[in-house]
Amino acid sequence: MLYVAVVAGSFRRYATYRVATAAGVVTNTAFGFIIAYTYLALWSQRPHLGGYDRAQALTFVWAGQALFALIAYGGLDELQDRIRSGDVAVDLYRPADLQLWWLAIELGRSGLQLIGRGVVPMAVGALAFPLALPGSVLTWGWFLLSVVLGVVVSFALRYLVALASFWLLDSSGLAMVSTLSCMFFSGLVLPLRVFPGALADLAQLLPWAALLQVPADVLMGARTGGALLRGLAFQAAWAAALLALGRLVQSAATRKVVVQGG
């Protein structure tokens, strides 16, 4: 119940930033149009690029804009600040798990962003362009499950970057590398399927593919049956592995704090 309360509290907290949410909706929608017309020009020259038709390519664009704020291409700045200031020592001694606490915060934030900055850009895109959106409620359910798994993978990656602040004087460089890797290998720049040769195969095996590429494929019907189950299993496996690694690093950081405090 504690972590459910944290999720709800995080949702209410981010819901107070109404102006920022509105500005994010406008920004995501504007960039959606820019990228959509770029994709239209590209797909007019290379029809079925990456195995997508034009409607699927446009759906990928608007899925990326809808999920941008959920996946949070950035760092856990608040946690990094608490580590640098030493306030995290208080967090580590609380009767709550540090990793689950921050995961609950991220789930609450992502839930608000799904409503605030996810639905509106997707709706605008569907009105302005012919998108390959599913007509089945079940497909929408699989898509939402894939989105949740993507959010967990995103959190796990950013949590590891934040924990690096225990050993680095300034982790901003690492955070920047992580952000750029996320933007490139998640499919935000271009769908991973259009990458050339072995790079496409490699990119689709990396954890960042779980953030956008897999959910977008589920949404547009590019993953069905066994491919759908393999995509969800891929996301779940990366989520479990990265959370486990984060717990190991967290244990090492806790020992470091205890030794220094002693």
Side-chain angles (χ1 to χ4, degrees):
M1 292 300 294
L2 169 63
Y3 300 108
V4 173
V6 175
V7 171
S10 177
F11 185 96
R12 290 194 299 270
R13 171 190 173 188
Y14 284 97
T16 61
Y17 303 118
R18 297 182 181 88
V19 175
T21 300
V25 169
V26 173
T27 301
N28 286 141
T29 304
F31 272 98
F33 277 97
I34 294 171
I35 300 172
Y37 283 114
T38 303
Y39 273 41
L40 283 174
L42 179 58
W43 258 259
S44 67
Q45 298 298 316
R46 297 284 302 277
H48 302 288
L49 180 64
Y52 297 138
D53 59 28
R54 187 173 300 184
Q56 288 177 316
L58 289 171
T59 304
F60 196 98
V61 171
W62 290 102
Q65 293 308 303
L67 298 183
F68 184 90
L70 274 71
I71 297 170
Y73 296 90
L76 294 173
D77 295 336
E78 186 176 351
L79 176 57
Q80 288 177 312
D81 290 340
R82 291 187 67 81
I83 293 173
R84 282 193 291 266
S85 66
D87 292 339
V88 73
V90 178
D91 301 335
L92 291 172
Y93 283 106
R94 287 175 179 166
D97 182 78
L98 184 70
Q99 186 185 60
L100 292 178
W101 180 276
W102 283 96
L103 175 58
I105 290 176
E106 281 298 293
L107 290 175
R109 182 198 62 79
S110 297
L112 184 279
Q113 298 297 352
L114 175 62
I115 298 172
R117 292 179 61 177
V119 174
V120 175
M122 180 64 75
V124 172
L127 290 172
F129 300 95
L131 303 187
L133 296 177
S136 168
V137 175
L138 183 60
T139 302
W140 281 104
W142 287 123
F143 169 65
L144 290 177
L145 174 59
S146 183
V147 169
V148 172
L149 290 172
V151 169
V152 175
V153 173
S154 172
F155 162 77
L157 287 166
R158 292 179 293 118
Y159 186 70
L160 286 169
V161 173
L163 291 182
S165 298
F166 278 104
W167 292 273
L168 301 177
L169 294 177
D170 185 1
S171 60
S172 58
L174 181 60
M176 180 61 70
V177 171
S178 175
T179 299
L180 293 175
S181 298
C182 178
M183 295 179 68
F184 186 76
F185 287 111
S186 67
L188 184 66
V189 177
L190 276 174
L192 302 183
R193 291 189 179 191
V194 309
F195 285 11
L199 179 58
D201 296 332
L202 174 61
Q204 293 183 77
L205 293 176
L206 297 176
W208 296 285
L211 277 57
L212 173 58
Q213 183 68 51
V214 175
D217 280 345
V218 172
L219 177 65
M220 68 180 71
R223 284 181 178 269
T224 58
L228 169 62
L229 295 179
R230 287 192 296 273
L232 296 175
F234 168 80
Q235 291 180 291
W238 270 118
L242 291 169
L243 288 174
L245 179 58
R247 190 160 294 278
L248 289 175
V249 177
Q250 175 184 312
S251 297
T254 302
R255 289 194 297 270
K256 183 175 186 291
V257 170
V258 169
V259 170
Q260 289 181 342

